[in-house]
Structure formats: structure tokens, C-alpha cells
Amino acid sequence: MALTRSIVDVIRDQAGAQGFTAVRAVRLEIGALSHVEPAAILFCFDAISRGTIAEGARLEVERPPGRAFCMPCGAPVPLAQRYDPCPLCGGHQMVLVGGEELRVMELEVE
Ligand SMILES: [Zn+2]
């Protein structure tokens, strides 16, 4: 709920800065490891955007997969869950590099 509100705030700020008057579509990036349920955002968006510039906008959600850089392997590897071991060497010396994204990527405006 709070998150959906902040998305609408971002759209409003952008509208103020760029001078558009209506938003047709909002492209969101919600990483697979971000703990955010896209369905929950879709569910709240209609109610929260009502009466704002974002009212009636279509939400498009991209889900970048989890990715980590494995130190021992010296390579990026896919990561299904945050604390999974490396699929190549089974180790845990990994740095998360993708999958936690949570942002408004693009607005389709008029
Ligand atoms: Zn590894």
C-alpha cells in the first residue's frame, strides 16, 4: 500500500518536472528477490491512483531474476532465492547484483 503510494508520488513528481498531463502506462521493475508481490501493487494501484494524474494508467511489471556474483567462481550466477548457494561451486561467498530492483522504469505519457 505505502509502496504503491510512493509509485504514484514518483509519477506526480515526474509530471510536475516534465509537464505531461496524463499517463497511459507505467513500466515497473520489481526484482524477483525484492519481497514485493506485483499482484498486490496491481490491486492497490487503481484505488490509490484515483483522482491523480496516474488514474487509468496501465501497469506493466517486469521481474528481473535474482543474480549474484560468486567470488570463488569469479563469475555471475543465477540466484533463485536470496540465501541459496552458488549453483556452480555450492559456496556462499556471493554478492547480490540483481533481483532487488524496485523502480519506475518508464512512463508512457501524453
Ligand atoms: Zn561459485
Side-chain angles (χ1 to χ4, degrees):
M1 201 70 169
L3 182 64
T4 308
R5 205 178 296 278
S6 70
I7 291 169
V8 172
D9 286 345
V10 166
I11 295 168
R12 188 177 323 158
D13 290 351
Q14 291 283 311
Q18 297 177 29
F20 53 80
T21 55
V23 180
R24 268 193 245 157
V26 181
R27 251 185 292 287
L28 298 174
E29 196 172 41
I30 303 175
L33 305 181
S34 68
H35 300 299
V36 173
E37 202 43 68
I41 291 188
L42 294 172
F43 181 76
C44 294
F45 186 77
D46 274 353
I48 289 180
S49 65
R50 197 161 297 144
T52 75
I53 189 167
E55 181 170 357
R58 187 175 74 249
L59 280 191
E60 296 169 6
V61 177
E62 291 200 14
R63 296 281 275 168
R67 276 180 300 120
F69 188 87
C70 177
M71 299 296 190
C73 293
V77 295
L79 197 67
Q81 300 286 333
R82 189 174 296 253
Y83 298 110
D84 274 4
C86 171
L88 301 179
C89 70
H92 281 93
Q93 288 171 266
M94 297 201 289
V95 179
L96 203 61
V97 295
E100 288 188 307
E101 297 86 351
L102 194 55
R103 60 171 174 244
V104 177
M105 289 169 69
E106 203 182 334
L107 300 175
E108 196 180 308
V109 302
E110 51 189 70

